[in-house]
Amino acid sequence: MKKILIIGNADSVFVKQYCENLIKTHRYKIYLLTRNNSIYTKYYTNVGINVIHYVRSYEGGKERLYKFLVRTVHQVKQYSKEFDIIHVHYVDRVVLTLAKVFGKNGAKVIVSYWGSDIFRKKDIAFQKEEKVLERADVITFVTKEMEKVFEKKYCGKFQDKLKIIDFGLSAIDEMDKLLVSEREKIRKEIGINKNEVAIAIGYNGIKEQQHLQVIRAIKQLNSDLRENIYLYLHMSYGVSDKEYIRQIERELIDLGCRYNISYKYMDSYDIARLRSAIDIFINAQTTDALSASMLEYLYSGCIVMNPKWLTYEFLEENKIEYTEYKDFYDLKIKLEKILLEKKYNIHDIKHTREIISKFYSWSNVIKKWEDIY
């Protein structure tokens, strides 16, 4: 049984699901090195994953960083002196340095970029990470767009190490279990009235989701249309700027429709129920690497509104339909048309589900990860 040290956020649902599906193969002993471990603690304990919690207090220069590394290495060695695989989930210079240190005994080092660690990173950060990336055996991305940005940053230096492998979507399996007749019951439990149009904006609490701009676009709609909207904002992740949340709340007060800001952490079952209850999903992020949420909403059959500044090769290549808008005024115009026509399931859901299931079911995805292990 191979020993894997995963360096990532234990509170991330994606890390949890990744571990969950690795365990099912019965071929790996998993150790998880993390700064956060408050949401899925019980799960990790029950399945025998060793969670090693480290405190990231190294601000103040090279000496403090060195002490941090020595302390963290000592913590990990209490669980195991060596590993077969070191796998970094979400990249910054410090976790790469940890991977390099733990990979000194010949372990295979895999570095997996998630999205914002490519798209929202400054050039200076890429420069600082370059030397440490030389130790990586495999570098993965979830989309071709991410890989292209990376190759441009490093002028093709790591070309032989690059792979495109995505994460699976547990929620799509849960959606397959839901009956069409359950939808109204689920909507009622969430708080959506029978004749309301449920619109979800984004999927976390970071500013880059541009909730405020979308809310202001909705505010421009005729009051007769607005009063039939139920607005849903899921903010369980990324809520670090309290003033931004207060701004959103102030904008919503006089919007003229009912709304729900949810801070609840959801498992795949809850996510599937939420996706199936929504009529329209509005994506307005500044950058995105084809998020799981976007794919889940497409799979659910609701209308997905996506900005022109975000392009997804996977959706284009596989002819998966969505509604594109070029700016927030255009969003208002297109949303108004949808609300007036009252057509909330217009794309070929059978085709969409077949494609997404083929590429994103965990049973298919986990085999690709095992191939690089």
Side-chain angles (χ1 to χ4, degrees):
M1 191 173 276
K2 288 184 177 180
K3 287 183 180 180
I4 300 178
L5 178 65
I6 290 175
I7 306 174
N9 181 2
D11 282 348
S12 164
V13 67
F14 303 110
V15 169
K16 186 247 185 185
Q17 288 175 2
Y18 186 81
C19 293
E20 209 168 39
N21 285 278
L22 264 187
I23 284 170
K24 287 177 185 176
T25 67
H26 305 290
R27 286 190 278 272
Y28 308 99
K29 175 67 178 170
I30 300 172
Y31 300 80
L32 180 51
L33 182 60
T34 181
R35 287 177 67 191
N36 311 296
N37 182 30
S38 59
I39 300 171
Y40 305 114
T41 309
K42 190 175 179 182
Y43 166 76
Y44 293 126
T45 302
N46 289 344
V47 298
I49 292 175
N50 291 293
V51 178
I52 309 159
H53 185 265
Y54 69 89
V55 179
R56 193 158 162 170
S57 56
Y58 51 81
E59 290 79 4
K62 289 184 178 180
E63 187 179 343
R64 279 207 170 184
L65 176 57
Y66 176 75
K67 287 180 179 178
F68 159 75
L69 292 170
V70 169
R71 186 173 63 248
T72 306
V73 168
H74 178 70
Q75 279 180 273
V76 173
K77 284 191 173 179
Q78 290 179 50
Y79 290 84
S80 179
K81 300 232 183 300
E82 51 187 53
F83 302 91
D84 299 293
I85 299 160
I86 313 295
H87 193 168
V88 170
H89 284 266
Y90 197 91
V91 178
D92 66 38
R93 185 169 64 99
V94 173
V95 295
L96 285 178
T97 304
L98 284 170
K100 183 179 179 181
V101 170
F102 290 119
K104 280 185 175 178
N105 292 328
K108 189 170 197 177
V109 176
I110 297 166
V111 174
S112 293
Y113 285 89
W114 281 24
S116 58
D117 48 353
I118 285 274
F119 294 128
R120 294 174 192 158
K121 185 173 283 179
K122 293 179 180 176
D123 286 342
I124 187 68
F126 282 105
Q127 290 169 24
K128 288 179 178 178
E129 290 168 9
E130 183 173 3
K131 190 73 178 170
V132 198
L133 278 169
E134 290 174 1
R135 175 59 188 86
D137 295 290
V138 182
I139 302 169
T140 76
F141 311 89
V142 297
T143 65
K144 289 179 182 176
E145 290 87 347
M146 285 173 60
E147 185 186 46
K148 285 175 184 174
V149 171
F150 181 90
E151 284 194 291
K152 190 175 179 182
K153 294 290 181 186
Y154 293 116
C155 303
K157 179 178 179 179
F158 301 106
Q159 194 170 4
D160 294 341
K161 300 181 178 186
L162 309 186
K163 298 271 184 187
I164 296 172
I165 312 177
D166 211 326
F167 296 97
L169 301 173
S170 298
I172 68 174
D173 295 328
E174 295 294 342
M175 271 188 260
D176 287 339
K177 297 173 191 173
L178 292 174
L179 301 173
V180 175
S181 57
E182 290 181 85
R183 187 170 189 262
E184 284 308 317
K185 181 187 170 188
I186 293 167
R187 283 168 64 90
K188 189 176 178 181
E189 287 171 1
I190 290 172
I192 306 165
N193 291 336
K194 191 170 184 180
N195 295 319
E196 285 179 323
V197 181
I199 300 177
I201 303 173
Y203 52 87
N204 61 39
I206 65 171
K207 276 185 179 181
E208 287 81 2
Q209 295 279 349
Q210 303 199 93
H211 306 90
L212 287 170
Q213 290 88 332
V214 176
I215 292 166
R216 287 164 188 161
I218 293 171
K219 198 174 278 189
Q220 294 171 37
L221 295 169
N222 184 290
S223 60
D224 292 343
L225 292 176
R226 276 186 281 123
E227 67 185 16
N228 289 320
I229 290 172
Y230 179 92
L231 212 55
Y232 191 95
L233 286 78
H234 191 200
M235 301 284 206
S236 59
Y237 294 95
V239 183
S240 57
D241 188 340
K242 302 296 182 188
E243 178 52 34
Y244 178 63
I245 302 302
R246 283 192 286 270
Q247 279 182 278
I248 290 171
E249 289 170 344
R250 287 194 292 269
E251 286 284 343
L252 289 169
I253 287 170
D254 60 349
L255 185 58
C257 69
R258 294 198 319 120
Y259 62 87
N260 179 3
I261 302 177
S262 173
Y263 299 98
K264 178 186 174 186
Y265 286 95
M266 296 184 180
D267 59 19
S268 54
Y269 173 75
D270 292 325
I271 290 169
R273 287 165 63 82
L274 172 63
R275 305 296 188 246
S276 69
I278 297 298
D279 297 297
I280 301 168
F281 169 63
I282 300 175
N283 185 28
Q285 284 200 92
T286 53
T287 61
D288 186 37
L290 189 54
S291 66
S293 297
M294 175 97 163
L295 289 162
E296 288 158 0
Y297 277 117
L298 286 164
Y299 195 85
S300 76
C302 78
I303 289 179
V304 169
M305 303 190 74
N306 189 64
K308 192 177 180 64
W309 60 83
L310 294 179
T311 56
Y312 305 109
E313 233 175 278
F314 172 80
L315 301 183
E316 305 307 322
E317 285 176 358
N318 291 286
K319 295 181 171 54
I320 293 178
E321 295 177 31
Y322 57 86
T323 300
E324 186 177 82
Y325 62 92
K326 61 187 176 185
D327 53 35
F328 290 104
Y329 178 72
D330 192 39
L331 170 64
K332 177 254 177 185
I333 297 297
K334 286 183 173 158
L335 181 58
E336 185 176 57
K337 185 174 186 288
I338 291 165
L339 293 171
L340 286 169
E341 291 178 351
K342 298 182 179 180
K343 292 178 181 176
Y344 308 123
N345 297 83
I346 57 171
H347 67 261
D348 184 355
I349 189 171
K350 186 173 182 292
H351 168 75
T352 299
R353 286 197 162 196
E354 283 175 356
I355 295 296
I356 293 175
S357 181
K358 177 183 174 183
F359 286 94
Y360 291 95
S361 70
W362 268 114
S363 57
N364 291 329
V365 170
I366 205 67
K367 291 171 187 171
K368 296 176 185 177
W369 286 107
E370 284 201 276
D371 286 346
I372 64 169
Y373 276 3

